[in-house]
């Protein structure tokens, strides 16, 4: 038997994830059926809850914005052979930077505050990711261990800063004061009536720009070639004269800056104050988004939209179908992650064999076999 050939790019990026996603939803439907509910009604509730109105779409886009940032953060590091799972902590620390700028300048205008808050989020998030990058590049500490440890450190720092620094004297909860109008990022509802009363804001424009910028950086720059070389073969990268340690530190810094944009969206665009747990585990969802999107910006955009729809649709599901709680959507998300991440190669061998049947070489081989049979 001839060796299996690699899948064409379109099949690897589009067809294989769709098959995995279909299997995830099929299994999810069986789970819903097992608890005595109609899976078709549940799916309809999720779809309508996510896309049934401008209000619902606005919330879906709001969730997707965060997932684009964290998905790109994971993907950029992954192309360099790094696994950044510290998106939560990097977004937390970035929130301190955004809140500091907004609280200091919210008596001015958002056009002044937004660029400075953007830079503060990128700087603080990048700095928090640079440290694990430096530790791996210079000390040999594994970036997976250090980034997950830094998540806990960031969480502790956030609790301390909220309670001891940012919390006003007359406020009981762990939160800063609400920003004045000049410290708030405009909502899209101010420009698009269908999105009124939804949290989606101008940070979605930043997310779209980030998708394009990461694509250009990875595939159309000299540095992108260097980081991909490092990801494919660190020994070859070093032999070619590239500084692996320098690339690791730069990539981790850029990855942290992308994760920090979650704070720009949440703190300045949605909450309009610094609150505890504003990240809501977007960093971990970003891992699933990057895996499902094959670490490609287009795939990440689609995967982020899917997870945004699951989040928003799940919020509506518990009201439409009383027998299904919000936890059911967590099960669906887990199954999507399982089949598109951990078991993403389940259909790969079968798909490779199927596509080989339609290749010109396979057809020629089949014709030759038939010819030999007929002559004998």
């Amino acid at each position: 038997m001839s060796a299996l050939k690699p899948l064409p790019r379109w099949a690897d990026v589009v067809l294989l994830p769709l098959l995995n996603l279909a299997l995830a939803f099929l299994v999810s439907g069986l789970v819903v059926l097992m608890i005595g509910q109609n899976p078709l009604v549940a799916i309809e509730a999720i779809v309508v809850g996510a896309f049934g109105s401008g209000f619902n779409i606005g919330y879906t886009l709001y969730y997707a914005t965060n997932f684009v940032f964290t998905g790109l953060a994971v993907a950029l590091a992954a192309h360099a052979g790094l696994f950044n799972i510290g998106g939560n902590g990097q977004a937390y620390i970035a929130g301190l930077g955004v809140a500091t700028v907004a609280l200091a300048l919210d008596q001015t205008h958002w056009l002044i505050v937004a660029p400075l808050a953007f830079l503060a989020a990128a700087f603080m998030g990048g700095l928090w990711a640079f440290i694990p990058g430096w530790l791996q590049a210079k000390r040999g500490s594994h970036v997976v261990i250090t980034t997950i440890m830094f998540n806990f450190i960031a969480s502790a720092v956030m609790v301390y800063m909220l309670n001891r620094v940012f919390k006003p004297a007359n406020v009981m909860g762990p939160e800063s004061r609400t920003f004045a109008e000049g410290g708030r990022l405009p909502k899209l509802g101010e420009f698009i009536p269908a999105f009124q009363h939804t949290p989606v804001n101008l940070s979605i424009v930043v997310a779209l720009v980030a998708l394009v910028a990461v694509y250009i950086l990875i595939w159309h720059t000299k540095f992108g070639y260097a980081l991909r070389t490092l990801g494919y073969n660190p020994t070859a990268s070093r032999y070619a004269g590239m500084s692996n340690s320098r690339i690791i530190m730069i990539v981790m810094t850029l990855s942290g800056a992308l994760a920090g944009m979650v704070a720009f969206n949440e703190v300045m665009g949605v909450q309009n104050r610094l609150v505890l747990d504003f990240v809501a585990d977007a960093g971990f969802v970003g891992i699933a988004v990057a895996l499902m999107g094959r670490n490609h910006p287009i795939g990440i955009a689609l995967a982020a939209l899917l997870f945004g729809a699951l989040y928003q649709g799940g919020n509506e599901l518990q009201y439409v179908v009383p027998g299904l709680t919000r936890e059911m959507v967590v099960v669906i998300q887990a199954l999507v992650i399982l089949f598109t991440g951990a078991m993403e190669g389940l259909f790969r061998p079968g798909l490779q064999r199927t596509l080989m049947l339609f290749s010109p070489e396979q057809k020629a081989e089949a014709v030759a076999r038939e010819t030999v049979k007929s002559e004998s």
Side-chain angles (χ1 to χ4, degrees):
M1 180 180 293
S2 58
L4 295 178
K5 296 181 180 179
L7 288 175
R9 181 65 176 168
W10 64 268
D12 190 35
V13 174
V14 178
L15 184 56
L16 187 60
L18 285 178
L19 290 173
N20 290 327
L21 187 61
L23 181 59
F25 280 116
L26 177 61
V27 176
S28 300
L30 294 176
V31 173
V32 172
L33 194 62
M34 288 172 60
I35 61 177
Q37 299 293 332
N38 189 334
L40 297 179
V41 173
I43 292 175
E44 181 184 7
I46 292 175
V47 173
V48 173
F51 302 108
S53 66
F55 179 85
N56 295 346
I57 294 173
Y59 267 91
T60 297
L61 293 177
Y62 150 64
Y63 289 119
T65 300
N66 284 338
F67 301 152
V68 165
F69 290 136
T70 55
L72 287 175
V74 174
L76 182 62
H79 279 288
L82 305 169
F83 193 18
N84 178 17
I85 57 176
N88 274 9
Q90 291 145 22
Y92 261 138
I93 298 301
L96 298 176
V98 173
T100 300
V101 171
L103 290 170
L105 301 175
D106 62 351
Q107 300 299 322
T108 58
H109 194 276
W110 73 267
L111 285 173
I112 299 174
V113 180
L116 295 176
F118 172 87
L119 293 175
F123 174 78
M124 296 296 287
L127 177 64
W128 200 247
F130 167 80
I131 302 173
W134 182 88
L135 288 172
Q136 169 148 339
K138 300 297 186 180
R139 310 299 299 177
S141 303
H142 201 289
V143 73
V144 171
I145 303 299
T146 52
T147 51
I148 198 168
M149 290 174 63
F150 269 55
N151 283 338
F152 291 100
I153 297 173
S155 179
V157 169
M158 176 63 69
V159 172
Y160 176 86
M161 294 296 291
L162 274 176
N163 283 286
R164 300 297 182 91
V165 179
F166 286 97
K167 187 177 75 171
N170 59 342
V171 174
M172 293 296 294
E175 61 183 43
S176 71
R177 70 167 174 84
T178 302
F179 306 151
E181 194 66 31
R184 304 178 186 180
L185 207 59
K187 304 287 194 298
L188 280 192
E190 299 178 21
F191 312 101
I192 305 174
F195 293 151
Q196 286 183 354
H197 310 298
T198 66
V200 62
N201 56 75
L202 289 183
S203 62
I204 193 173
V205 178
V206 179
L208 294 174
V209 172
L211 287 166
V212 177
V214 169
Y215 173 78
I216 294 173
L217 174 66
I218 294 175
W219 283 284
H220 293 280
T221 66
K222 180 180 178 181
F223 179 75
Y225 177 80
L227 74 88
R228 284 185 289 123
T229 303
L230 171 64
Y232 282 123
N233 193 324
T235 304
S237 173
R238 188 181 300 108
Y239 184 78
M242 302 174 186
S243 174
N244 289 358
S245 60
R246 174 176 170 271
I247 296 172
I248 288 171
M249 290 186 288
I250 293 175
V251 168
M252 285 301 296
T253 301
L254 292 175
S255 178
L258 286 166
M261 291 300 104
V262 173
F264 185 65
N265 178 30
E266 286 287 343
V267 177
M268 189 176 175
V270 180
Q271 306 292 343
N272 301 138
R273 65 192 190 282
L274 186 63
V275 298
L276 200 61
D277 295 332
F278 71 86
V279 178
D281 284 337
F284 292 120
V285 177
I287 298 173
V289 168
L291 287 172
M292 186 174 180
R294 294 295 190 275
N295 294 324
H296 193 285
I298 295 177
I300 287 171
L302 296 175
L305 187 62
L306 170 65
F307 276 89
L310 288 175
Y311 266 64
Q312 171 56 22
N315 292 334
E316 298 292 328
L317 178 64
Q318 56 189 329
Y319 301 111
V320 177
V321 185
L324 295 176
T325 63
R326 179 70 177 79
E327 285 69 27
M328 187 62 232
V329 180
V330 177
V331 172
I332 297 175
Q333 292 170 358
L335 289 170
V336 170
I337 294 171
L338 175 66
F339 288 110
T340 61
M343 299 176 64
E344 65 90 18
L346 185 64
F347 288 110
R348 186 180 295 274
L351 192 58
Q352 287 175 310
R353 292 188 181 93
T354 301
L355 293 179
M356 283 178 64
L357 293 176
F358 298 96
S359 66
E361 296 84 358
Q362 198 74 13
K363 290 180 179 179
E365 185 179 340
V367 170
R369 285 199 301 266
E370 292 298 324
T371 303
V372 171
K373 288 181 181 178
S374 61
E375 290 177 354
S376 61

